[in-house]
Amino acid sequence: MSKPQVEVVERWLGAGGPPVRYLRFGVDHEFFAEKPFPSTPMLFSAGGDRDRDPATLFRAIEIVRREHPGIEVSVQSRTQLQPPDGVTVVPYLTHQQLREAYERASVVAIATRPNLHASGMTVSLEAMSVGRPVVITETPGLDDYVRDGDTGFLVPCNDHRALAARIGTLLEDHAAAEAMGERARRRVVASFTSAQMADELAKFAASSSGTRGR
């Protein structure tokens, strides 16, 4: 699901292994439909895979809440870390509840540890599909999904100050955040739908079958 994985998997499979290609991930852009940008600022984060970084996320949120004391913050996570004061943490959301959270959010933020599988791409694309800007840790291959400064912001790993600063930028400029969200939605529809992913997978399977036949 990320370009940097290709070389690693090829090396793991060894000489004569099956073909390996990069397959762009996709989301259901009809279920995660574009919604009007909220008039009230709200920060949302979601995700619980092993490469999420709740410690960095919470440190960033502490800064954001100091600078924006009235901001609503909601986080879906199973972390056992103590969240900052005033932050709502829930361990699980249904797809319907997740969609509603994206719709209410004006910024979606994701912090991850170093990884090669583009941790956070699902939440990023779902939020972008709804028309929301994303602030996420920059890891190898993530820039294929989130264009820095265009559909969202990429920040360094373990840098809670950079994460907080980019979140603050979007909270403070409603028009810029809304415009970024609109560009994000267009990019998902153009390049990252589940139908497109299925088509690419089918073409890859067909070409791989032909290669084995020869």
Side-chain angles (χ1 to χ4, degrees):
M1 295 299 180
S2 76
K3 290 177 182 176
Q5 286 181 301
V6 173
E7 181 181 353
V8 174
V9 174
E10 287 178 334
R11 189 165 60 247
W12 173 63
L13 291 170
V20 179
R21 296 181 190 173
Y22 164 55
L23 176 68
R24 294 181 301 174
F25 191 65
V27 297
D28 187 342
H29 69 293
E30 294 179 346
F31 180 81
F32 293 103
E34 185 174 19
K35 295 295 181 179
F37 203 78
S39 57
T40 302
M42 185 269 207
L43 173 61
F44 177 62
S45 183
D49 72 48
R50 65 186 182 184
D51 287 310
R52 289 297 206 276
D53 185 359
T56 295
L57 176 68
F58 285 170
R59 286 196 291 269
I61 291 173
E62 286 179 350
I63 296 174
V64 171
R65 281 191 51 79
R66 282 200 302 269
E67 297 177 352
H68 304 269
I71 186 72
E72 179 186 356
V73 183
S74 179
V75 176
Q76 180 271 308
S77 174
R78 295 183 180 179
T79 181
Q80 298 301 307
L81 296 178
Q82 182 67 28
D85 290 342
V87 176
T88 300
V89 177
V90 296
Y92 176 79
L93 292 173
T94 66
H95 283 90
Q96 177 74 30
Q97 292 169 329
L98 184 61
R99 181 176 64 183
E100 291 171 355
Y102 293 140
E103 293 171 2
R104 293 178 52 240
S106 53
V107 182
V108 174
I110 306 158
T112 71
R113 303 181 181 92
N115 68 89
L116 284 180
H117 65 94
S119 174
M121 66 181 174
T122 303
V123 170
S124 294
L125 292 177
E126 289 171 351
M128 290 164 59
S129 184
V130 176
R132 303 298 179 258
V134 172
V135 183
I136 186 170
T137 304
E138 182 174 16
T139 56
L142 216 292
D143 57 353
D144 282 333
Y145 294 99
V146 179
R147 286 177 171 169
D148 188 37
D150 181 38
T151 62
F153 287 120
L154 301 175
V155 299
C157 288
N158 305 312
D159 193 337
H160 64 281
R161 291 184 177 85
L163 182 62
R166 286 306 195 185
I167 293 170
T169 295
L170 293 171
L171 292 176
E172 292 161 10
D173 193 335
H174 181 281
E178 182 175 9
M180 183 172 279
E182 291 172 352
R183 293 193 297 270
R185 166 67 183 185
R186 290 197 296 268
R187 179 154 168 74
V188 169
V189 172
S191 303
F192 296 105
T193 69
S194 52
Q196 290 166 329
M197 180 177 67
D199 286 343
E200 290 183 13
L201 180 58
K203 292 175 182 177
F204 173 49
S207 65
S208 299
S209 176
T211 299
R212 288 196 298 271
R214 290 194 295 271

